[in-house]
Amino acid sequence: MLSKSLIALALTAAGRVIGQLTPSTVYQPPDPTSGYGSSLSASTQWSNLLGNMLWFYEAQRSGRLPSDNRVSWRNDSCLTDGQEYGVDLTGGYYDAGDYIKATYPLAFSIFSVCWGANTYGDGYANANQTAYLDQMLRWGLDWLMKAHPGPNTVYIQAGDDSVDNNYWGGDQDIPSPRPVWQVNSTITGTDIAARMAAAFASCSALYNGFSITPSTSKPAPLSNSTYASTLLNHATQLYSLSQQTPLQTYTTAIPGVDWAYASSSYQDEQALAAVMMSVAATAGGATSSSSPTPQSYLDTATDMWSSDKLNQDVVLNWDSVSPAVPILLTQIASLGNSNLHPSGGSSKWQGESETYLDRVVNENGRGYLTKGGLLWYSGDSDLASLNPAMNAAMLLFTYAPMATSSSKTSQYQGQWDYALGKNPMSAPYVVGSNPNSPTNPHDAKSSGGSDIDNIDTSPVNSTHILYGAAVGGPNSNDQFWNIRSDWPETEVALDYNAPFLTLAAYSVLKATDPPFYTSLAPGVYAEAKPGGMPCDPAFPCKSHGGLSTAAKIVLAVVITVVGLIIAGLLACFLVRAKRGRKRSLL
Protein backbone atom coordinates (compact mmCIF):
# COMPACT_ATOMS: atom_id res chain seq x y z
CA MET A 1 0.00 0.00 0.00
CA LEU A 2 1.29 3.45 -0.88
CA SER A 3 2.15 5.72 2.04
CA LYS A 4 0.18 8.92 2.53
CA SER A 5 3.23 10.96 1.55
CA LEU A 6 3.64 9.07 -1.72
CA ILE A 7 -0.06 9.45 -2.50
CA ALA A 8 0.17 13.19 -1.80
CA LEU A 9 3.24 13.43 -4.01
CA ALA A 10 1.50 11.58 -6.83
CA LEU A 11 -1.57 13.79 -6.58
CA THR A 12 0.61 16.90 -6.54
CA ALA A 13 2.51 15.72 -9.60
CA ALA A 14 -0.73 14.93 -11.43
CA GLY A 15 -2.13 18.33 -10.52
CA ARG A 16 0.94 20.03 -11.85
CA VAL A 17 0.63 18.26 -15.20
CA ILE A 18 -2.97 19.11 -15.93
CA GLY A 19 -3.32 22.31 -13.92
CA GLN A 20 -5.60 23.15 -11.06
CA LEU A 21 -8.53 24.31 -13.17
CA THR A 22 -10.49 22.59 -15.94
CA PRO A 23 -11.87 24.70 -18.82
CA SER A 24 -15.67 24.81 -18.90
CA THR A 25 -15.47 24.53 -22.69
CA VAL A 26 -12.56 23.58 -24.91
CA TYR A 27 -11.16 26.57 -26.74
CA GLN A 28 -9.69 26.08 -30.20
CA PRO A 29 -8.49 29.02 -32.31
CA PRO A 30 -10.93 30.09 -35.02
CA ASP A 31 -9.89 30.37 -38.65
CA PRO A 32 -7.81 33.50 -39.44
CA THR A 33 -10.66 34.81 -41.59
CA SER A 34 -12.67 35.42 -38.41
CA GLY A 35 -10.23 38.21 -37.60
CA TYR A 36 -11.63 40.42 -40.36
CA GLY A 37 -14.93 42.23 -40.32
CA SER A 38 -17.58 43.01 -37.74
CA SER A 39 -19.36 39.67 -37.44
CA LEU A 40 -17.84 39.15 -33.98
CA SER A 41 -18.07 41.60 -31.09
CA ALA A 42 -15.04 43.53 -29.87
CA SER A 43 -14.94 41.52 -26.66
CA THR A 44 -15.02 38.24 -28.59
CA GLN A 45 -12.18 39.38 -30.86
CA TRP A 46 -10.02 40.33 -27.88
CA SER A 47 -10.91 37.09 -26.09
CA ASN A 48 -9.92 35.10 -29.17
CA LEU A 49 -6.58 36.92 -29.35
CA LEU A 50 -5.88 36.13 -25.70
CA GLY A 51 -6.97 32.52 -26.19
CA ASN A 52 -4.78 32.12 -29.27
CA MET A 53 -1.73 33.48 -27.47
CA LEU A 54 -2.16 30.99 -24.65
CA TRP A 55 -2.64 28.23 -27.25
CA PHE A 56 0.81 29.10 -28.62
CA TYR A 57 2.43 28.09 -25.33
CA GLU A 58 0.68 24.73 -25.58
CA ALA A 59 2.26 24.29 -29.02
CA GLN A 60 5.68 24.89 -27.40
CA ARG A 61 5.37 22.10 -24.83
CA SER A 62 8.10 19.54 -24.39
CA GLY A 63 7.86 16.17 -22.66
CA ARG A 64 4.92 13.80 -22.36
CA LEU A 65 1.77 15.62 -23.43
CA PRO A 66 -1.43 15.24 -21.42
CA SER A 67 -4.62 13.73 -22.77
CA ASP A 68 -6.26 17.16 -23.06
CA ASN A 69 -3.54 18.49 -25.35
CA ARG A 70 -5.20 20.78 -27.92
CA VAL A 71 -2.42 20.87 -30.54
CA SER A 72 -3.12 17.79 -32.64
CA TRP A 73 0.13 17.90 -34.60
CA ARG A 74 2.40 17.92 -31.55
CA ASN A 75 3.84 14.72 -30.04
CA ASP A 76 5.63 13.55 -26.91
CA SER A 77 9.25 14.63 -27.22
CA CYS A 78 12.62 14.76 -25.41
CA LEU A 79 11.55 12.19 -22.82
CA THR A 80 15.08 11.60 -21.53
CA ASP A 81 16.22 15.18 -20.89
CA GLY A 82 18.59 15.18 -17.92
CA GLN A 83 18.51 11.42 -17.53
CA GLU A 84 22.22 10.81 -18.07
CA TYR A 85 22.95 13.51 -15.48
CA GLY A 86 20.71 11.95 -12.87
CA VAL A 87 18.03 14.63 -13.02
CA ASP A 88 14.56 14.74 -14.57
CA LEU A 89 14.37 17.73 -16.92
CA THR A 90 11.54 16.45 -19.08
CA GLY A 91 8.64 18.77 -19.73
CA GLY A 92 8.75 22.53 -19.88
CA TYR A 93 8.70 24.61 -23.03
CA TYR A 94 10.90 24.89 -26.11
CA ASP A 95 12.17 28.43 -26.05
CA ALA A 96 11.58 29.49 -29.65
CA GLY A 97 11.33 28.03 -33.15
CA ASP A 98 13.74 25.24 -32.30
CA TYR A 99 14.13 22.74 -29.45
CA ILE A 100 16.33 24.34 -26.80
CA LYS A 101 14.91 24.59 -23.29
CA ALA A 102 16.42 27.61 -21.56
CA THR A 103 15.73 28.53 -17.94
CA TYR A 104 16.69 32.20 -18.17
CA PRO A 105 14.18 33.42 -20.78
CA LEU A 106 11.49 31.04 -19.49
CA ALA A 107 11.77 32.52 -16.00
CA PHE A 108 11.47 36.02 -17.47
CA SER A 109 8.37 35.01 -19.42
CA ILE A 110 6.73 33.40 -16.37
CA PHE A 111 7.50 36.44 -14.20
CA SER A 112 6.01 38.74 -16.82
CA VAL A 113 2.84 36.71 -17.33
CA CYS A 114 2.20 36.35 -13.57
CA TRP A 115 2.73 40.09 -13.08
CA GLY A 116 0.29 40.84 -15.88
CA ALA A 117 -2.24 38.29 -14.61
CA ASN A 118 -2.10 39.98 -11.22
CA THR A 119 -2.57 43.45 -12.70
CA TYR A 120 -5.27 42.61 -15.27
CA GLY A 121 -6.51 39.24 -14.06
CA ASP A 122 -10.16 40.06 -14.72
CA GLY A 123 -9.30 40.05 -18.42
CA TYR A 124 -8.51 36.32 -18.29
CA ALA A 125 -11.71 35.65 -16.38
CA ASN A 126 -13.86 37.68 -18.77
CA ALA A 127 -12.33 35.85 -21.75
CA ASN A 128 -12.98 32.47 -20.12
CA GLN A 129 -9.25 31.73 -20.33
CA THR A 130 -8.36 31.43 -16.64
CA ALA A 131 -8.05 27.64 -16.75
CA TYR A 132 -5.73 27.82 -19.75
CA LEU A 133 -3.65 30.48 -17.99
CA ASP A 134 -3.37 28.12 -15.03
CA GLN A 135 -2.23 25.26 -17.23
CA MET A 136 0.22 27.46 -19.11
CA LEU A 137 1.81 28.73 -15.89
CA ARG A 138 1.99 25.35 -14.19
CA TRP A 139 3.60 23.70 -17.22
CA GLY A 140 6.40 26.27 -16.99
CA LEU A 141 6.60 26.56 -13.20
CA ASP A 142 6.72 22.80 -12.67
CA TRP A 143 9.64 22.54 -15.06
CA LEU A 144 11.42 25.40 -13.29
CA MET A 145 11.00 23.41 -10.07
CA LYS A 146 12.68 20.45 -11.79
CA ALA A 147 15.48 22.81 -12.84
CA HIS A 148 15.86 23.69 -9.14
CA PRO A 149 16.13 20.20 -7.62
CA GLY A 150 17.94 21.37 -4.48
CA PRO A 151 18.47 24.64 -2.57
CA ASN A 152 21.80 25.40 -4.25
CA THR A 153 21.42 23.95 -7.74
CA VAL A 154 19.94 25.46 -10.90
CA TYR A 155 19.95 23.83 -14.31
CA ILE A 156 20.39 26.45 -17.02
CA GLN A 157 19.72 24.81 -20.35
CA ALA A 158 18.81 21.49 -21.95
CA GLY A 159 20.12 21.04 -25.47
CA ASP A 160 23.17 22.35 -27.29
CA ASP A 161 22.41 25.49 -29.29
CA SER A 162 25.05 24.76 -31.93
CA VAL A 163 23.62 21.26 -32.52
CA ASP A 164 20.04 22.45 -32.36
CA ASN A 165 20.64 25.16 -34.97
CA ASN A 166 21.69 22.47 -37.42
CA TYR A 167 18.47 20.50 -37.09
CA TRP A 168 15.24 21.40 -38.85
CA GLY A 169 12.38 18.98 -38.54
CA GLY A 170 9.56 17.62 -36.43
CA ASP A 171 9.51 16.83 -32.73
CA GLN A 172 10.14 13.08 -33.20
CA ASP A 173 13.76 13.22 -34.37
CA ILE A 174 15.30 15.90 -32.18
CA PRO A 175 19.06 15.22 -31.91
CA SER A 176 20.18 13.49 -28.74
CA PRO A 177 21.82 13.16 -26.31
CA ARG A 178 21.05 16.65 -25.05
CA PRO A 179 23.64 18.14 -22.67
CA VAL A 180 22.61 20.17 -19.63
CA TRP A 181 24.50 22.71 -17.53
CA GLN A 182 24.12 23.85 -13.94
CA VAL A 183 25.21 26.54 -11.50
CA ASN A 184 25.41 25.97 -7.77
CA SER A 185 26.91 27.34 -4.57
CA THR A 186 30.44 26.83 -5.93
CA ILE A 187 29.91 27.80 -9.57
CA THR A 188 27.54 30.66 -8.87
CA GLY A 189 25.06 32.19 -11.28
CA THR A 190 23.74 35.26 -9.50
CA ASP A 191 21.54 36.39 -12.36
CA ILE A 192 19.76 33.13 -13.08
CA ALA A 193 19.12 32.39 -9.38
CA ALA A 194 17.65 35.88 -8.87
CA ARG A 195 15.63 35.65 -12.10
CA MET A 196 14.05 32.38 -11.00
CA ALA A 197 13.38 33.79 -7.53
CA ALA A 198 11.49 36.69 -9.12
CA ALA A 199 9.44 34.32 -11.28
CA PHE A 200 8.48 32.02 -8.40
CA ALA A 201 7.73 34.99 -6.13
CA SER A 202 5.61 36.76 -8.74
CA CYS A 203 3.52 33.64 -9.29
CA SER A 204 3.32 32.83 -5.58
CA ALA A 205 1.64 36.19 -4.97
CA LEU A 206 -0.75 35.48 -7.84
CA TYR A 207 -1.68 32.00 -6.57
CA ASN A 208 -2.21 33.48 -3.12
CA GLY A 209 -4.72 35.89 -4.63
CA PHE A 210 -2.74 38.92 -3.43
CA SER A 211 -3.52 41.97 -5.55
CA ILE A 212 -0.89 44.60 -6.29
CA THR A 213 -3.43 46.79 -8.11
CA PRO A 214 -6.73 46.45 -6.26
CA SER A 215 -8.14 49.60 -7.87
CA THR A 216 -7.48 48.31 -11.41
CA SER A 217 -8.46 44.65 -11.46
CA LYS A 218 -8.51 41.57 -9.30
CA PRO A 219 -5.81 38.94 -9.85
CA ALA A 220 -6.74 36.07 -12.14
CA PRO A 221 -8.76 33.65 -9.97
CA LEU A 222 -6.12 30.96 -9.54
CA SER A 223 -6.03 30.89 -5.72
CA ASN A 224 -4.27 27.83 -4.36
CA SER A 225 -2.41 28.49 -1.12
CA THR A 226 -0.65 25.11 -1.18
CA TYR A 227 0.82 25.73 -4.60
CA ALA A 228 1.64 29.33 -3.65
CA SER A 229 3.57 28.08 -0.62
CA THR A 230 5.57 25.65 -2.75
CA LEU A 231 6.47 28.46 -5.14
CA LEU A 232 7.50 30.74 -2.29
CA ASN A 233 9.74 28.03 -0.85
CA HIS A 234 11.60 27.78 -4.16
CA ALA A 235 11.77 31.58 -4.40
CA THR A 236 13.27 31.89 -0.90
CA GLN A 237 15.96 29.30 -1.59
CA LEU A 238 16.84 30.85 -4.93
CA TYR A 239 16.98 34.35 -3.49
CA SER A 240 19.46 33.08 -0.91
CA LEU A 241 21.50 31.42 -3.66
CA SER A 242 21.58 34.70 -5.59
CA GLN A 243 23.37 36.37 -2.67
CA GLN A 244 26.23 33.89 -2.56
CA THR A 245 29.65 34.98 -3.78
CA PRO A 246 31.23 35.38 -6.17
CA LEU A 247 28.46 37.51 -7.65
CA GLN A 248 28.55 36.88 -11.39
CA THR A 249 26.48 36.02 -14.42
CA TYR A 250 26.03 32.38 -15.31
CA THR A 251 27.73 33.00 -18.65
CA THR A 252 30.81 34.22 -16.76
CA ALA A 253 30.65 31.25 -14.40
CA ILE A 254 30.63 28.73 -17.25
CA PRO A 255 32.73 30.12 -20.13
CA GLY A 256 33.23 28.47 -23.48
CA VAL A 257 29.61 27.47 -23.99
CA ASP A 258 27.68 28.71 -27.01
CA TRP A 259 24.83 30.00 -24.88
CA ALA A 260 21.51 30.59 -26.57
CA TYR A 261 20.85 33.41 -24.08
CA ALA A 262 24.03 35.05 -22.83
CA SER A 263 23.39 37.27 -19.81
CA SER A 264 25.03 40.69 -19.49
CA SER A 265 24.45 41.65 -15.81
CA TYR A 266 23.04 40.50 -12.47
CA GLN A 267 22.33 43.65 -10.40
CA ASP A 268 18.97 44.34 -12.06
CA GLU A 269 17.96 40.73 -11.45
CA GLN A 270 18.80 40.99 -7.76
CA ALA A 271 16.77 44.19 -7.39
CA LEU A 272 13.74 42.70 -9.15
CA ALA A 273 13.96 39.53 -7.05
CA ALA A 274 14.03 41.59 -3.84
CA VAL A 275 10.93 43.52 -4.92
CA MET A 276 8.99 40.38 -5.75
CA MET A 277 10.13 38.62 -2.57
CA SER A 278 8.63 41.46 -0.53
CA VAL A 279 5.27 40.97 -2.25
CA ALA A 280 5.30 37.16 -2.11
CA ALA A 281 6.34 37.13 1.55
CA THR A 282 3.49 39.51 2.43
CA ALA A 283 1.05 37.45 0.38
CA GLY A 284 2.24 34.37 2.25
CA GLY A 285 1.48 35.93 5.62
CA ALA A 286 4.85 37.40 6.61
CA THR A 287 4.73 40.45 8.86
CA SER A 288 7.10 42.95 10.45
CA SER A 289 7.99 40.30 13.04
CA SER A 290 9.01 37.74 10.39
CA SER A 291 12.61 37.08 9.43
CA PRO A 292 13.45 38.36 6.95
CA THR A 293 10.70 40.96 6.89
CA PRO A 294 8.95 42.02 3.69
CA GLN A 295 10.27 45.52 4.33
CA SER A 296 13.87 44.28 4.45
CA TYR A 297 13.48 42.94 0.92
CA LEU A 298 12.09 46.28 -0.22
CA ASP A 299 14.94 48.18 1.43
CA THR A 300 17.44 45.98 -0.38
CA ALA A 301 15.75 46.72 -3.71
CA THR A 302 15.57 50.49 -3.24
CA ASP A 303 19.18 50.61 -2.01
CA MET A 304 20.31 48.69 -5.08
CA TRP A 305 18.33 50.99 -7.35
CA SER A 306 20.42 53.91 -6.14
CA SER A 307 23.81 52.32 -5.46
CA ASP A 308 23.93 50.30 -8.69
CA LYS A 309 22.51 53.16 -10.78
CA LEU A 310 19.76 51.02 -12.26
CA ASN A 311 17.74 53.97 -13.57
CA GLN A 312 19.27 53.59 -17.02
CA ASP A 313 17.72 54.08 -20.44
CA VAL A 314 17.55 50.39 -21.28
CA VAL A 315 14.87 48.11 -22.68
CA LEU A 316 12.83 45.57 -20.76
CA ASN A 317 13.53 42.11 -22.14
CA TRP A 318 14.85 38.68 -21.17
CA ASP A 319 18.29 40.17 -20.45
CA SER A 320 17.35 43.49 -18.85
CA VAL A 321 14.67 43.93 -16.17
CA SER A 322 15.45 47.19 -14.39
CA PRO A 323 12.60 49.14 -16.11
CA ALA A 324 10.09 46.93 -14.27
CA VAL A 325 11.44 47.85 -10.83
CA PRO A 326 10.12 51.43 -10.36
CA ILE A 327 6.71 50.53 -11.78
CA LEU A 328 6.37 47.62 -9.36
CA LEU A 329 7.51 49.86 -6.51
CA THR A 330 4.87 52.42 -7.50
CA GLN A 331 2.24 49.69 -7.40
CA ILE A 332 3.46 48.55 -3.99
CA ALA A 333 3.62 52.09 -2.58
CA SER A 334 0.04 52.66 -3.71
CA LEU A 335 -1.24 49.66 -1.72
CA GLY A 336 -1.07 51.33 1.68
CA ASN A 337 0.05 48.00 3.16
CA SER A 338 1.55 48.35 6.64
CA ASN A 339 4.27 45.81 5.82
CA LEU A 340 5.39 47.45 2.55
CA HIS A 341 6.80 50.97 2.44
CA PRO A 342 9.18 51.62 -0.47
CA SER A 343 11.66 54.30 0.54
CA GLY A 344 10.49 57.67 -0.76
CA GLY A 345 6.85 56.63 -1.09
CA SER A 346 4.58 56.86 -4.12
CA SER A 347 5.88 60.21 -5.36
CA LYS A 348 9.47 58.95 -5.49
CA TRP A 349 8.60 55.90 -7.59
CA GLN A 350 6.08 57.70 -9.75
CA GLY A 351 8.88 60.10 -10.60
CA GLU A 352 11.31 57.30 -11.41
CA SER A 353 8.68 55.52 -13.51
CA GLU A 354 7.71 58.61 -15.45
CA THR A 355 11.32 59.58 -16.06
CA TYR A 356 11.69 56.28 -17.90
CA LEU A 357 8.30 56.20 -19.59
CA ASP A 358 8.38 59.86 -20.67
CA ARG A 359 11.61 59.11 -22.52
CA VAL A 360 9.73 56.39 -24.38
CA VAL A 361 6.73 58.53 -25.24
CA ASN A 362 8.61 61.76 -25.99
CA GLU A 363 11.51 60.12 -27.86
CA ASN A 364 14.11 61.98 -25.84
CA GLY A 365 16.11 58.89 -24.94
CA ARG A 366 17.66 55.97 -26.80
CA GLY A 367 14.37 54.92 -28.30
CA TYR A 368 12.87 56.61 -31.34
CA LEU A 369 9.89 55.98 -33.58
CA THR A 370 10.33 54.59 -37.06
CA LYS A 371 8.50 56.42 -39.85
CA GLY A 372 5.68 53.93 -39.42
CA GLY A 373 5.50 54.47 -35.66
CA LEU A 374 7.35 51.49 -34.12
CA LEU A 375 9.44 52.22 -31.03
CA TRP A 376 13.00 51.32 -31.98
CA TYR A 377 16.13 50.84 -29.88
CA SER A 378 19.24 50.44 -32.02
CA GLY A 379 21.09 47.34 -30.89
CA ASP A 380 18.08 45.88 -29.12
CA SER A 381 15.39 46.03 -31.81
CA ASP A 382 17.50 44.74 -34.70
CA LEU A 383 16.87 41.03 -34.14
CA ALA A 384 13.29 41.08 -32.81
CA SER A 385 11.89 44.55 -33.26
CA LEU A 386 8.50 44.02 -31.65
CA ASN A 387 9.88 42.68 -28.39
CA PRO A 388 11.31 45.92 -26.91
CA ALA A 389 8.28 47.84 -28.20
CA MET A 390 5.70 45.44 -26.74
CA ASN A 391 7.48 45.24 -23.40
CA ALA A 392 7.46 49.04 -23.33
CA ALA A 393 3.75 49.01 -24.18
CA MET A 394 3.11 46.56 -21.34
CA LEU A 395 4.95 48.87 -18.92
CA LEU A 396 2.96 51.84 -20.18
CA PHE A 397 -0.40 50.11 -19.79
CA THR A 398 0.57 48.72 -16.38
CA TYR A 399 1.59 52.15 -15.13
CA ALA A 400 -1.27 54.12 -16.72
CA PRO A 401 -3.70 53.89 -13.75
CA MET A 402 -1.04 55.45 -11.50
CA ALA A 403 0.11 58.23 -13.86
CA THR A 404 0.30 61.73 -12.38
CA SER A 405 -1.65 63.08 -15.33
CA SER A 406 -4.52 61.42 -17.17
CA SER A 407 -3.26 63.02 -20.39
CA LYS A 408 -0.28 60.68 -20.30
CA THR A 409 -2.43 57.58 -20.68
CA SER A 410 -3.77 58.74 -24.04
CA GLN A 411 -0.26 58.48 -25.46
CA TYR A 412 0.19 54.83 -24.57
CA GLN A 413 -1.88 53.05 -27.27
CA GLY A 414 0.27 53.42 -30.38
CA GLN A 415 2.64 50.47 -30.00
CA TRP A 416 -0.15 47.99 -29.36
CA ASP A 417 -2.05 49.16 -32.43
CA TYR A 418 1.14 48.93 -34.51
CA ALA A 419 1.66 45.28 -33.58
CA LEU A 420 -1.95 44.49 -34.46
CA GLY A 421 -1.82 45.85 -37.98
CA LYS A 422 -1.77 49.65 -37.86
CA ASN A 423 1.56 49.77 -39.66
CA PRO A 424 2.88 50.35 -43.19
CA MET A 425 2.67 46.62 -43.99
CA SER A 426 -0.97 46.33 -42.84
CA ALA A 427 0.21 43.16 -41.12
CA PRO A 428 -0.89 42.04 -37.66
CA TYR A 429 2.24 40.38 -36.30
CA VAL A 430 0.40 37.56 -34.52
CA VAL A 431 0.09 34.32 -36.50
CA GLY A 432 -3.45 33.22 -37.28
CA SER A 433 -5.20 36.38 -36.08
CA ASN A 434 -6.18 37.72 -39.52
CA PRO A 435 -5.73 36.76 -43.21
CA ASN A 436 -2.80 39.23 -43.35
CA SER A 437 -0.93 37.69 -40.41
CA PRO A 438 2.49 36.06 -41.02
CA THR A 439 2.05 32.65 -42.60
CA ASN A 440 5.62 31.33 -42.47
CA PRO A 441 6.99 31.74 -38.94
CA HIS A 442 10.50 30.49 -38.29
CA ASP A 443 9.34 27.43 -36.37
CA ALA A 444 10.48 23.90 -37.09
CA LYS A 445 7.54 22.22 -35.35
CA SER A 446 4.75 23.85 -37.35
CA SER A 447 6.56 24.16 -40.69
CA GLY A 448 6.20 20.49 -41.55
CA GLY A 449 9.56 20.54 -43.30
CA SER A 450 12.79 18.63 -42.68
CA ASP A 451 15.21 20.01 -45.28
CA ILE A 452 17.41 22.48 -43.43
CA ASP A 453 18.97 23.67 -46.69
CA ASN A 454 15.61 24.61 -48.18
CA ILE A 455 13.39 25.61 -45.32
CA ASP A 456 11.68 28.34 -47.37
CA THR A 457 10.52 25.99 -50.10
CA SER A 458 10.13 22.68 -48.33
CA PRO A 459 7.25 23.23 -47.92
CA VAL A 460 6.41 26.59 -49.49
CA ASN A 461 3.63 27.20 -46.96
CA SER A 462 3.79 26.00 -43.37
CA THR A 463 1.86 22.80 -42.83
CA HIS A 464 0.28 23.96 -39.56
CA ILE A 465 -0.88 27.38 -38.34
CA LEU A 466 0.99 28.35 -35.18
CA TYR A 467 -1.94 30.31 -33.77
CA GLY A 468 -1.14 33.10 -31.34
CA ALA A 469 2.60 33.27 -32.03
CA ALA A 470 4.07 36.78 -32.03
CA VAL A 471 6.88 36.97 -34.59
CA GLY A 472 10.08 39.01 -34.38
CA GLY A 473 8.71 41.89 -36.44
CA PRO A 474 9.69 44.33 -39.20
CA ASN A 475 12.97 46.12 -39.84
CA SER A 476 13.69 49.77 -39.01
CA ASN A 477 12.08 50.80 -42.28
CA ASP A 478 8.85 49.07 -41.21
CA GLN A 479 9.34 46.38 -43.87
CA PHE A 480 8.42 42.74 -43.36
CA TRP A 481 9.01 39.91 -45.86
CA ASN A 482 7.27 36.90 -44.25
CA ILE A 483 10.18 34.57 -45.09
CA ARG A 484 10.55 31.47 -42.90
CA SER A 485 14.34 31.47 -42.86
CA ASP A 486 14.50 35.17 -41.97
CA TRP A 487 14.64 34.47 -38.25
CA PRO A 488 15.15 38.09 -37.09
CA GLU A 489 11.71 38.90 -38.53
CA THR A 490 9.76 35.64 -38.33
CA GLU A 491 11.05 33.60 -35.39
CA VAL A 492 8.71 33.01 -32.47
CA ALA A 493 9.65 32.76 -28.79
CA LEU A 494 8.21 32.40 -25.31
CA ASP A 495 9.37 35.84 -24.27
CA TYR A 496 8.00 37.46 -27.45
CA ASN A 497 4.50 36.37 -26.45
CA ALA A 498 4.72 37.30 -22.77
CA PRO A 499 3.90 41.04 -23.03
CA PHE A 500 1.23 40.34 -25.64
CA LEU A 501 -0.67 38.27 -23.06
CA THR A 502 -0.84 41.17 -20.61
CA LEU A 503 -1.81 43.62 -23.36
CA ALA A 504 -4.54 41.28 -24.60
CA ALA A 505 -5.87 40.73 -21.06
CA TYR A 506 -5.94 44.51 -20.58
CA SER A 507 -7.80 44.90 -23.86
CA VAL A 508 -10.41 42.29 -22.94
CA LEU A 509 -11.03 44.29 -19.79
CA LYS A 510 -10.78 47.88 -21.03
CA ALA A 511 -11.01 48.15 -24.83
CA THR A 512 -14.26 49.28 -26.46
CA ASP A 513 -13.05 48.96 -30.05
CA PRO A 514 -11.99 45.63 -31.59
CA PRO A 515 -8.34 44.89 -32.49
CA PHE A 516 -7.14 47.04 -35.38
CA TYR A 517 -6.65 44.00 -37.60
CA THR A 518 -10.39 43.47 -37.89
CA SER A 519 -10.36 46.37 -40.38
CA LEU A 520 -7.74 44.73 -42.62
CA ALA A 521 -9.29 43.03 -45.64
CA PRO A 522 -7.61 39.92 -47.07
CA GLY A 523 -4.77 40.79 -49.43
CA VAL A 524 -3.70 44.18 -48.08
CA TYR A 525 -0.38 42.84 -46.81
CA ALA A 526 0.34 41.26 -50.21
CA GLU A 527 -0.11 44.69 -51.77
CA ALA A 528 2.21 46.34 -49.24
CA LYS A 529 4.85 43.60 -49.11
CA PRO A 530 8.25 45.02 -50.13
CA GLY A 531 10.17 43.83 -53.13
CA GLY A 532 13.73 42.56 -52.98
CA MET A 533 15.08 40.79 -49.93
CA PRO A 534 15.72 41.63 -46.26
CA CYS A 535 19.05 42.97 -45.04
CA ASP A 536 19.82 41.34 -41.69
CA PRO A 537 21.93 38.50 -40.21
CA ALA A 538 19.78 35.90 -41.97
CA PHE A 539 20.14 37.65 -45.33
CA PRO A 540 23.43 39.57 -45.42
CA CYS A 541 23.11 42.50 -47.77
CA LYS A 542 26.01 41.43 -49.93
CA SER A 543 24.03 38.39 -51.04
CA HIS A 544 21.61 40.59 -52.98
CA GLY A 545 23.67 43.54 -54.05
CA GLY A 546 23.39 45.73 -50.98
CA LEU A 547 25.81 46.55 -48.22
CA SER A 548 25.54 45.56 -44.61
CA THR A 549 25.70 48.20 -41.91
CA ALA A 550 29.26 47.18 -41.10
CA ALA A 551 30.25 47.40 -44.76
CA LYS A 552 28.70 50.84 -45.04
CA ILE A 553 30.70 52.00 -42.02
CA VAL A 554 33.94 50.65 -43.50
CA LEU A 555 33.19 52.28 -46.84
CA ALA A 556 32.45 55.60 -45.13
CA VAL A 557 35.75 55.43 -43.26
CA VAL A 558 37.67 54.65 -46.46
CA ILE A 559 35.99 57.52 -48.32
CA THR A 560 36.74 59.90 -45.44
CA VAL A 561 40.41 58.91 -45.29
CA VAL A 562 40.83 59.14 -49.07
CA GLY A 563 39.08 62.50 -49.00
CA LEU A 564 41.44 63.80 -46.32
CA ILE A 565 44.46 62.63 -48.30
CA ILE A 566 43.21 64.34 -51.45
CA ALA A 567 42.43 67.51 -49.49
CA GLY A 568 45.91 67.42 -47.97
CA LEU A 569 47.59 67.00 -51.34
CA LEU A 570 45.52 69.82 -52.83
CA ALA A 571 46.40 72.12 -49.94
CA CYS A 572 50.05 71.29 -50.34
CA PHE A 573 49.84 72.03 -54.08
CA LEU A 574 48.18 75.40 -53.49
CA VAL A 575 50.76 76.39 -50.86
CA ARG A 576 53.58 75.46 -53.19
CA ALA A 577 51.93 77.32 -56.04
CA LYS A 578 51.60 80.46 -53.92
CA ARG A 579 55.20 80.19 -52.78
CA GLY A 580 56.36 79.83 -56.38
CA ARG A 581 54.49 82.90 -57.45
CA LYS A 582 55.95 84.85 -54.57
CA ARG A 583 59.46 83.82 -55.49
CA SER A 584 58.93 84.85 -59.10
CA LEU A 585 57.91 88.30 -57.98
CA LEU A 586 61.04 88.87 -56.03
Side-chain angles (χ1 to χ4, degrees), residues 324-341:
V325 172
I327 294 172
L328 277 161
L329 289 172
T330 305
Q331 289 179 313
I332 293 168
S334 300
L335 287 175
N337 189 294
S338 60
N339 292 311
L340 299 170
H341 298 286

Side-chain angles (χ1 to χ4, degrees), residues 209-232:
F210 183 86
S211 176
I212 55 176
T213 54
S215 62
T216 301
S217 167
K218 295 188 293 294
L222 302 174
S223 292
N224 185 317
S225 59
T226 301
Y227 195 59
S229 178
T230 300
L231 298 176
L232 181 56

Side-chain angles (χ1 to χ4, degrees), residues 64-93:
R64 194 173 301 281
L65 303 182
S67 59
D68 61 354
N69 166 55
R70 294 179 291 163
V71 187
S72 61
W73 42 268
R74 282 300 322 282
N75 304 282
D76 296 346
S77 58
C78 292
L79 299 180
T80 59
D81 276 356
Q83 188 177 83
E84 63 181 297
Y85 300 89
V87 62
D88 176 13
L89 292 177
T90 59
Y93 292 110

Side-chain angles (χ1 to χ4, degrees), residues 366-386:
R366 283 184 55 224
Y368 67 90
L369 295 182
T370 63
K371 289 182 179 179
L374 178 64
L375 178 64
W376 191 277
Y377 287 86
S378 296
D380 291 298
S381 300
D382 303 84
L383 300 184
S385 61
L386 288 174

Side-chain angles (χ1 to χ4, degrees), residues 532-535 539-548 551-552 555:
M533 297 294 284
C535 175
F539 286 87
C541 299
K542 63 181 181 181
S543 67
H544 48 87
L547 291 174
S548 67
K552 290 177 181 177
L555 181 60

Side-chain angles (χ1 to χ4, degrees), residues 554-575:
V554 171
L555 181 60
V557 171
V558 171
I559 291 173
T560 301
V561 171
V562 171
L564 290 172
I565 292 172
I566 292 173
L569 292 172
L570 180 60
C572 182
F573 171 79
L574 292 174
V575 169

Side-chain angles (χ1 to χ4, degrees), residues 396-452:
L396 290 164
F397 278 85
T398 300
Y399 179 75
M402 303 174 291
T404 56
S405 169
S406 59
S407 63
K408 290 180 179 294
T409 62
S410 64
Q411 306 174 61
Y412 293 173
Q413 184 70 33
Q415 296 307 302
W416 187 217
D417 286 341
Y418 185 103
L420 299 184
K422 194 175 183 179
N423 55 63
M425 295 287 98
S426 294
Y429 292 114
V430 180
V431 177
S433 60
N434 173 274
N436 298 285
S437 294
T439 55
N440 285 309
H442 184 89
D443 177 69
K445 299 176 290 299
S446 61
S447 75
S450 58
D451 184 353
I452 195 170

